[in-house]
Amino acid sequence: MNSKQLLVDALAPALAEHLSADEILNLIEVPKDTSHGDLAFPVFQLARVFRKAPQQIAADLVEELDTSNFSNVVAVGPYINVSLKREPVGATVVKEVLEAGDAYGNLNIGEGRNMTIDFSSPNIAKPMSMGHLRSTVIGNAIANIAAKVNYNPIRINHLGDWGTQFGKLIVAYKMWGDDAVIAADPVKELVKLYVDFHEVAEEKPELEEEARAAFKKLEDGDAEMIRLWTWFKDESLKEFNKVYDMLNISFDSFNGEAFYNDKMQPIIDELEAKGITTVNEGATIVDLEELNLPPALIKKSDGATLYVTRDLAAASYRKETYDFAKNIYVVGNEQSVHFKQLKAVLTKLGREWSEDMVHVPFGLITLDGKKLSTRKGKIVLLEEVLKEAVDLALEQITAKNPDLANKEAVAHQVGVGAVIFHDLKTERMNSFDFNLAEIVQFEGETGPYVQYTYARSKSIIRKYGKEISTDLTEAFGLTDDYSWEVVKKLMDYPRVVANAIERFEPSQVAKYAVQLAQLFNKYYGNTRILEDDAHLDARLALVKAMTVVLKNALGLLGIEAPEEM
Ligand code: ARG
């Protein structure tokens, strides 16, 4: 049940000639001050067609309305304020949630169509840094929300596994590499080789030439080069997978940049044949000046392809393979020009589906006020941050609930959940600071707070110990303000889900989860839930409905909900 829809239905007959149902819906407001009712409809818009003063229109409309769903309908100046009948609405909503379970809030926006989502996509032979956290968790949440609205999400990890840096790595490896050392801590060692290469190349510039030659050999398919590259890649993937396992995130495809090596030529040929490219100092480019964009560099003068060339091939491959309805790229805002160029070149090629590509950018994270790439001169490894968060969570749990049986497992869910939640609760374009100790608190707008609210409500249900009936139409009886606020919030969930996917904004769901938890805690603080009176069943049903929605919302964000903590 949607509360606004109830008012739309009531107003529609009287306004049919002037406003569509959607227009009415868009006009309906939720008064800040709940004493003004649950919903308000402003009538200014109608002054012209009715040729009456707004106050008069409001007063007249009130006389005409079917008020069966409302306990109170009043004209207040140019507004119609209505209050819903709390008892039948509350009973219907709670019943709806309990009957639907996890399917509550499911929508059919996607109509079963495919949505490809390119996210995380780290560069191999480099550690996964905190910088990759955002793409990873935002992308995963978008995929979850997409599934809830009946898109079929396809999670793609477009690994950065190609480029001249692999020539450098191979040269460095040949000079200083030690297989045993690499096997022990691969990514760390590969980073070291890469850094060493740059240091030494300052004095010996001929190394750069060697690196280019090595990469050329790799591109030409030299068996030894391929063997090394594959090894570096496999070792890197193992490290990345440790982080993905901790985050409980999986992918449908790890086709990275290298996968497109043999898929670029047809597109380059087509670009040339259609006269879309020009040659500039030996390089092949697409001029995009009319769009105020820098030229897209398709091929260097030595024939090497580039990042955008591979993305052209990747987008085409995704269209052919998945026939996506939408193709999403969850990548930092600093790459926005790249994605504009990508789209522009595809548009020039006449690919109408380029309209369905969406770059979903996000802002930066700082750590304790400092830029993320360094902390005490070192790279901040995502894996270490997650482990630290789990340790902090364990400390808190040990202090609060020392006898908890599966402490370690819960600490994992809470620590990792805290990091994910903190990332997702901020609108994605806003930058934010990351202070682990604050994030893992059980109070405030944190993941652990939401999880704790969930666990606490589950413990009430356990204490009750009986089956909770969904047959509430008789004597629901909950009409107090505290339970009513929870009911209204539950009612709002489908709208929040729709909004989140429309804007690719998981923060909508995260904020909702905090608000629902806060309203619930107010309810909990002001109600004797387990009191044995006529409304006991109804109160438990409300508690259970809240747990269903809270767990679902956390799930959309990729966060687990421990039953006890
Ligand atoms: N590997 C890139 C990076 O770490 C991100 C790739 C994003 N995806 C894409 N199709 N370009 O910056």
Side-chain angles (χ1 to χ4, degrees):
M1 171 176 316
N2 179 302
S3 58
K4 287 188 181 177
Q5 195 56 46
L6 292 175
L7 183 53
V8 173
D9 294 346
L11 286 165
L15 301 177
E17 282 169 40
H18 312 293
L19 293 173
S20 71
D22 267 350
E23 286 168 325
I24 299 174
L25 183 66
N26 286 330
L27 285 170
I28 294 174
E29 298 170 13
V30 178
K32 288 245 154 51
D33 181 349
T34 44
S35 68
H36 293 158
D38 297 317
L39 300 168
F41 180 73
V43 300
F44 306 101
Q45 285 242 336
L46 298 163
R48 216 161 1 113
V49 290
F50 282 115
R51 296 211 212 113
K52 277 193 283 191
Q55 284 84 335
Q56 191 59 46
I57 299 173
D60 293 349
L61 269 177
V62 164
E63 296 303 311
E64 267 184 74
L65 285 194
D66 169 4
T67 58
S68 45
N69 283 310
F70 308 117
S71 59
N72 193 23
V73 178
V74 282
V76 180
Y79 282 90
I80 298 175
N81 290 351
V82 305
S83 300
L84 301 171
K85 278 189 183 157
R86 293 184 177 186
E87 189 154 350
V89 170
T92 311
V93 170
V94 169
K95 189 173 168 162
E96 209 178 304
V97 174
L98 293 182
E99 282 178 355
D102 251 349
Y104 179 68
N106 284 10
L107 300 167
N108 191 25
I109 300 171
E111 297 174 331
R113 295 168 301 166
N114 285 344
M115 183 189 283
T116 46
I117 303 159
D118 177 326
F119 69 103
S120 197
S121 307
N123 301 321
I124 68 167
K126 292 207 181 133
M128 180 129 74
S129 74
M130 280 295 297
H132 283 104
L133 171 70
R134 300 221 67 195
S135 171
T136 307
V137 301
I138 295 171
N140 185 54
I142 289 176
N144 292 339
I145 299 166
K148 186 154 181 80
V149 303
N150 200 22
Y151 277 104
N152 176 37
I154 293 148
R155 296 166 155 89
I156 300 176
N157 195 324
H158 186 81
L159 291 173
D161 57 2
W162 205 249
T164 41
Q165 71 269 29
F166 293 101
K168 297 177 184 173
L169 207 51
I170 287 170
V171 169
Y173 168 77
K174 294 234 149 150
M175 290 189 293
W176 314 298
D178 178 333
D179 287 13
V181 179
I182 295 178
D185 194 348
V187 169
K188 191 169 159 220
E189 198 52 28
L190 292 175
V191 170
K192 189 169 175 301
L193 285 174
Y194 191 70
V195 171
D196 289 352
F197 176 92
H198 280 276
E199 255 174 43
V200 179
E202 297 229 321
E203 267 123 62
K204 288 207 234 163
E206 65 271 21
L207 282 185
E208 298 279 357
E209 201 40 59
E210 271 181 50
R212 262 193 290 279
F215 183 59
K216 183 87 178 67
K217 274 171 105 181
L218 177 61
E219 279 198 302
D220 294 342
D222 178 277
E224 171 64 1
M225 297 295 153
I226 300 255
R227 183 187 70 79
L228 288 173
W229 172 81
T230 309
W231 181 40
F232 296 159
K233 175 172 159 165
D234 290 348
E235 291 299 337
S236 301
L237 258 183
K238 271 190 220 156
E239 298 275 297
F240 296 160
N241 276 326
K242 280 194 218 158
V243 174
Y244 296 141
D245 285 349
M246 287 188 89
L247 291 168
N248 203 8
I249 289 178
S250 59
F251 293 89
D252 299 298
S253 163
F254 280 93
N255 287 340
E257 294 188 40
F259 178 77
Y260 300 101
N261 278 339
D262 60 356
K263 297 175 182 61
M264 287 176 277
Q265 200 53 49
I267 295 182
I268 298 175
D269 291 345
E270 189 184 339
L271 282 167
E272 285 172 349
K274 290 187 172 161
I276 295 168
T277 51
T278 51
V279 176
N280 191 324
E281 295 181 16
T284 305
I285 63 165
V286 177
D287 187 284
L288 298 170
E289 192 158 5
E290 79 272 19
L291 295 168
N292 261 325
L293 289 170
L297 189 49
I298 306 294
K299 212 165 63 176
K300 288 194 200 160
S301 54
D302 64 1
T305 56
L306 291 112
Y307 184 50
V308 74
T309 328
R310 288 187 281 279
D311 259 329
L312 286 167
S316 308
Y317 177 85
R318 283 173 203 173
K319 185 64 193 175
E320 281 157 30
T321 311
Y322 305 110
D323 191 26
F324 55 72
K326 289 210 183 302
N327 178 20
I328 311 301
Y329 297 87
V330 186
V331 185
N333 193 36
E334 65 282 358
Q335 291 192 28
S336 69
V337 168
H338 166 78
F339 287 103
K340 283 185 189 146
Q341 292 173 314
L342 176 61
K343 197 172 195 161
V345 174
L346 288 167
T347 307
K348 278 182 181 281
L349 278 167
R351 306 290 196 268
E352 274 158 28
W353 47 260
S354 65
E355 282 307 305
D356 304 323
M357 312 208 327
V358 187
H359 175 212
V360 176
F362 48 81
L364 294 171
I365 321 184
T366 51
L367 187 62
D368 304 329
K370 282 179 277 278
K371 261 179 74 181
L372 259 179
S373 48
T374 53
R375 188 176 60 166
K376 294 179 210 135
K378 276 194 288 178
I379 298 167
V380 182
L381 298 178
L382 185 46
E383 194 186 342
E384 278 167 22
V385 172
L386 291 174
K387 282 186 182 153
E388 236 176 276
V390 171
D391 289 345
L392 284 173
L394 187 60
E395 272 173 34
Q396 300 238 20
I397 292 169
T398 310
K400 282 194 182 252
N401 192 356
D403 303 326
L404 184 66
N406 49 348
K407 252 193 274 182
E408 312 279 328
V410 174
H412 181 95
Q413 298 180 330
V414 173
V416 171
V419 173
I420 299 177
F421 192 87
H422 184 69
D423 189 310
L424 293 180
K425 78 168 186 185
T426 318
E427 285 196 25
R428 61 180 157 72
M429 277 307 284
N430 294 344
S431 302
F432 64 83
D433 191 56
F434 191 93
N435 174 312
L436 261 188
E438 274 169 32
I439 290 169
V440 191
Q441 290 300 319
F442 282 33
E443 288 98 39
E445 299 182 358
T446 65
Y449 170 74
V450 178
Q451 288 173 318
Y452 187 64
T453 305
Y454 175 81
R456 170 193 268 172
S457 351
K458 283 312 265 253
S459 89
I460 301 171
I461 294 174
R462 276 193 302 274
K463 229 180 247 166
Y464 177 63
K466 279 179 268 175
E467 194 62 31
I468 292 169
S469 156
T470 55
D471 189 22
L472 299 161
T473 29
E474 308 250 317
F476 181 68
L478 304 188
T479 55
D480 64 283
D481 289 349
Y482 297 109
S483 47
W484 179 238
E485 290 302 321
V486 176
V487 166
K488 279 199 287 184
K489 203 74 196 165
L490 294 174
M491 226 188 302
D492 203 25
Y493 189 51
R495 186 194 65 81
V496 171
V497 170
N499 211 349
I501 198 68
E502 193 179 316
R503 297 168 47 196
F504 300 107
E505 192 63 84
S507 63
Q508 296 278 316
V509 176
K511 286 182 183 155
Y512 173 88
V514 168
Q515 289 159 4
L516 179 59
Q518 287 169 341
L519 290 173
F520 181 80
N521 283 322
K522 275 202 193 129
Y523 171 70
Y524 176 85
N526 289 283
T527 314
R528 276 192 249 154
I529 296 179
L530 288 169
E531 179 112 318
D532 194 3
D533 63 16
H535 303 313
L536 177 62
D537 285 351
R539 285 193 300 271
L540 263 303
L542 182 65
V543 173
K544 186 164 175 199
M546 196 282 308
T547 64
V548 167
V549 175
L550 209 52
K551 184 175 184 173
N552 194 265
L554 286 172
L556 291 183
L557 302 174
I559 299 172
E560 286 175 279
E563 298 293 305
E564 275 181 85
M565 67 186 259

